[in-house]
Amino acid sequence: MYLPKDADMLLSVVNMCLRDKNPSLEDFCAENDADEEQLREKLWTAGYAYDEKSNSFKKRDR
């Protein structure tokens, strides 16, 4: 799958996949040949952090 470079679009695509078909971020990254650390870093820089309980990226406290 093509992952968008724009952080807002990336957030939308990743959270949709996590909600609809991937039980974990690790599973999402393996299925999409994505580097988990880079993905977390890009979304962290945009103000989001991964929440394991909800299996989604959420706005982080600054």
Side-chain angles (χ1 to χ4, degrees):
M1 166 191 292
Y2 167 77
L3 295 177
K5 299 211 182 303
D6 176 77
D8 292 323
M9 292 299 294
L10 179 62
L11 173 69
S12 179
V13 168
V14 171
N15 275 345
M16 180 186 67
C17 288
L18 291 172
R19 180 188 67 232
D20 294 345
K21 66 183 212 171
N22 296 108
S24 69
L25 182 58
E26 183 179 335
D27 181 68
F28 170 82
C29 289
E31 184 176 305
N32 293 288
D33 195 30
D35 183 291
E36 184 175 340
E37 187 175 323
Q38 287 179 348
L39 181 61
R40 284 178 182 262
E41 186 177 320
K42 179 158 186 132
L43 290 175
W44 178 266
T45 301
Y48 298 91
Y50 179 67
D51 176 55
E52 277 189 52
K53 283 185 179 181
S54 65
N55 191 36
S56 65
F57 280 88
K58 295 184 173 192
K59 196 148 198 78
R60 63 181 170 85
D61 295 328
R62 295 200 181 231

